[in-house]
Amino acid sequence: MNQATLNSPSTPSVLGLFQQIPLPMVSRYLALQGWDWIILDMQHGCFDYEKAYECIHTIRTAGARPVVRVSIGNYSEIQKVLDLGALGVVVPMVNSPEEAEQAAQAAKYPPLGSRSKGGDPWYHYGDNYTQSANRETLLLVQIEHVKAISSVEQILSVKGVDGCFMGQVDLALSMGLPDVGFADNYEHKTAIQRTVDKCRSLNKLACYNAFSVREAEERRKQGFQCITFRSDVDIFVEASRRRLVELRDQLGSR
């Protein structure tokens, strides 16, 4: 599924989640459950390149799109994870058109960018990978700082940028708000609406990490086509905690 297909109004919501546990077994279970995207978190998780490679291709063979969120400001990592086989990159803290251009240069082959040919992706994606990669691999910049909001149209207009990922919590922190309870702040709401409106007007993907099903529904109605639902760690911890409480209640354990 390429960027143009994802932007079609008739396309259902694309659903994914972040993976922080660096194990191919976790990748396999998640992908087999039917998530459209699995985003390996190299920004906040503890992946190294070897584990990322194994997880990328486990996700791919299990039928989901492997995406990687790279570290802040590490543009060489963008090209590296694409060479490892990722079909998309999420680049955090892109706050200016210049930073978006640096990301695009790393993510796209000439003439659109300056990515060099290497790795083994053509063994996985076919001999014409070099010709199709600019179209088939997604570059998503994270809009998650008040500086980015002021130039969001220019950032999203950079050639090679396929869309954005909303970082609502870091955005709140950059606005001097707490990391909880910010959802009703007028300036914060306006910033999110401005971002999704610019994505629509420029025909770029708008992605959002929701913390509840209700929030996912609201953001989809707002115009976000791609919704992630937190992370594997969040789901594991919450499910485990809930089951433990249920067991203690039913069995009378301390």
Side-chain angles (χ1 to χ4, degrees), residues 236-246:
F236 169 74
V237 171
E238 289 185 2
S240 176
R241 182 184 294 128
R242 184 172 60 252
R243 294 304 182 195
L244 179 58
V245 170
E246 290 173 355

Side-chain angles (χ1 to χ4, degrees), residues 135-212:
R135 181 180 66 255
E136 298 295 337
T137 57
L138 299 176
L139 170 59
L140 303 172
V141 297
Q142 281 203 244
I143 302 298
E144 53 183 342
H145 196 281
V146 66
K147 292 179 182 178
I149 299 300
S150 63
S151 56
V152 66
E153 182 171 6
Q154 295 91 330
I155 290 171
L156 292 171
S157 296
V158 170
K159 290 183 178 180
V161 171
D162 298 303
C164 78
F165 219 105
M166 199 76 228
Q168 69 273 27
V169 178
D170 281 325
L171 174 61
L173 292 174
S174 77
M175 298 173 74
L177 301 171
D179 60 352
V180 293
F182 54 78
D184 292 327
N185 178 271
Y186 175 77
E187 288 78 11
H188 190 271
K189 291 171 66 175
T190 300
I192 292 178
Q193 189 62 58
R194 173 179 168 80
T195 301
V196 74
D197 287 346
K198 292 302 179 183
C199 283
R200 281 174 161 177
S201 67
L202 295 168
N203 196 35
K204 299 294 179 81
L205 291 173
C207 310
Y208 193 95
N209 187 43
F211 284 79
S212 69

Side-chain angles (χ1 to χ4, degrees), residues 19 23-35 38 58 62:
Q19 181 182 337
L23 293 174
M25 181 172 65
V26 173
S27 299
R28 183 178 300 109
Y29 280 124
L30 294 177
L32 289 175
Q33 287 169 1
W35 295 98
I38 310 296
T58 299

Side-chain angles (χ1 to χ4, degrees), residues 75 78 82 89 91 94 97-115 134 139 141 155 158-162:
Y75 298 104
I78 295 172
L82 290 172
V89 287
V91 184
V94 175
E98 293 76 19
E99 292 173 348
E101 176 63 30
Q102 286 181 279
Q105 287 294 311
K108 304 295 182 178
Y109 287 119
L112 192 55
S114 57
R115 178 184 173 189
N134 283 357
L139 170 59
V141 297
I155 290 171
V158 170
K159 290 183 178 180
V161 171
D162 298 303

